[in-house]
Amino acid sequence: MEGPVRIERPEAQVVLVRLWRPERLNALDMELRRALARTFRDLAEDEEVRVAVLAGSERAFAAGADLGEMVDADSVEMMRRATHRLWQAVADFPKPLIAAVRGYALGGGMELAMHADIIVAGENAEFGQPEVRVGIMPGAGGTQRLLRAVGPYRAAWLVMTGERVSGREAAAMGLVSRLVPDAEVEAEALAVARRIARMPPLAVREIKEVLRLGADAPLATALALERKAFQLLFSTRDQKEGMRAFLDKRRPEFEGR
Ligand code: CO8
């Protein structure tokens, strides 16, 4: 398949979305971003897909926005590009998204990784928000998602200095869900995807939504959201199947109903 975003189907119900602009370390140009947004909108509707893995190449998950496309832009041009709509297509993906990070995840690349629910990273991956070094600042969640992930003091240090941290250091900060040797990143991300794909999809979808919405809501509101979603799941066949299978001492078969 041609193009900067490639779709692989390594197994049933799991899709691997691969950023493929290796000669530019997967720098995110407009073509790649548009393709990524289209891909996630399509996958959201695809009933065959329960979980997505987002990966890059061996050297780079993504080395940030394509600076060649930004250097001469003015504010009006940046407003006209309205790239937040393209990012939003990834943020709105309703199924679990696992980022498999090898090599560089810088600037917009690190922000893209933070759009995922789970980050699997290699020990020598390199995370960073170097925007300040090229005269700007993060513009796709790199101040806000990072702040929520690692706390204000580490976020300020990373964003103000633009320094890079290894996968190991990022894991110690809480930015990584699973830290593995570099060569095992994709296999581990796919193994996690496979495990989640076996779970009841409606329950997983509710979990994602409540985690996301709850994180920024007052606690009482978030707990109410959780309670309502919990109660709602009692109308699913998968709830009956899951509990009945447990009582019958057999494996459940979840169908997403
Ligand atoms: N943009 C364009 N081209 C890039 C980028 C980039 N971000 N990163 C790498 N490339 C290109 C290089 O220019 C080089 O091209 P060529 O072979 O033609 O010279 C090729 O990729 C390979 O890169 P290097 O030769 O530089 O490889 P090294 O291993 O020496 O270095 C680095 C790798 C450290 C990753 C280095 O390339 C680098 O510092 N890249 C820039 C990283 C950066 O600053 N990223 C942040 C960009 S700003 C940003 O992401 C803002 C996001 C805001 C999001 C909101 C958007 C609206």
Side-chain angles (χ1 to χ4, degrees):
M1 204 195 331
E2 295 305 311
V5 174
R6 301 184 173 197
I7 301 290
E8 300 168 26
R9 303 259 182 177
E11 51 201 86
Q13 298 169 336
V14 172
V15 69
L16 191 146
V17 177
R18 190 181 296 287
L19 307 173
W20 198 247
R21 227 189 143 212
E23 73 289 355
R24 282 278 177 281
L25 302 180
N26 292 333
L28 304 161
D29 64 356
M30 290 303 291
E31 185 194 352
L32 196 162
R33 288 188 217 196
R34 287 197 190 100
L36 203 56
R38 265 197 312 276
T39 300
F40 278 103
R41 286 192 196 109
D42 291 348
L43 292 175
E45 303 300 325
D46 187 337
E47 297 228 343
E48 297 293 305
V49 170
R50 290 192 181 180
V51 183
V53 173
L54 179 59
S57 64
E58 193 178 332
R59 279 189 71 201
F61 178 75
D66 190 307
L67 293 171
E69 279 189 350
M70 282 186 164
V71 59
D72 292 322
D74 62 13
S75 307
V76 173
E77 168 59 19
M78 293 306 284
M79 287 164 76
R80 284 167 56 87
R81 287 184 194 175
T83 50
H84 63 279
R85 286 203 216 109
L86 303 177
W87 290 101
Q88 199 58 41
V90 184
D92 286 343
F93 183 60
K95 305 168 193 185
L97 177 59
I98 301 169
V101 179
R102 295 180 297 170
Y104 298 112
L106 302 178
M110 177 157 158
E111 291 173 310
L112 181 59
M114 289 192 289
H115 279 63
D117 304 294
I118 291 172
I119 299 179
V120 176
E123 289 169 347
N124 300 301
E126 294 199 43
F127 290 89
Q129 298 287 169
E131 288 89 340
V132 71
R133 297 185 176 205
V134 293
I136 54 167
M137 61 176 285
T143 58
Q144 299 310 305
R145 287 197 179 90
L146 186 61
L147 166 68
R148 284 158 176 74
V150 305
Y153 302 107
R154 286 159 164 166
W157 168 66
L158 280 166
V159 174
M160 288 180 181
T161 65
E163 279 175 32
R164 304 202 290 254
V165 292
S166 68
R168 252 180 250 104
E169 291 167 287
M173 291 182 182
L175 189 64
V176 170
S177 319
R178 307 274 296 167
L179 181 72
V180 293
D182 300 310
E184 292 169 25
V185 169
E186 283 191 14
E188 176 63 17
L190 287 171
V192 175
R194 192 178 311 126
R195 287 202 288 279
I196 297 174
R198 276 196 230 113
M199 299 296 149
L202 293 171
V204 171
R205 195 177 285 214
E206 291 300 314
I207 289 168
K208 174 161 180 163
E209 193 168 27
V210 170
L211 281 170
R212 293 275 172 118
L213 291 178
D216 291 315
L219 182 60
T221 308
L223 289 172
L225 258 180
E226 181 190 78
R227 187 172 68 248
K228 304 276 175 206
F230 171 78
Q231 291 164 349
L232 190 63
L233 290 172
F234 282 78
S235 291
T236 63
R237 288 219 294 260
D238 285 346
Q239 174 265 327
K240 299 288 176 287
E241 167 65 7
M243 295 191 181
R244 185 56 60 203
F246 173 80
L247 296 172
D248 294 348
K249 301 191 188 312
R250 62 175 172 81
R251 272 180 74 134
E253 291 288 335
F254 294 122
E255 34 173 3
R257 304 212 176 253

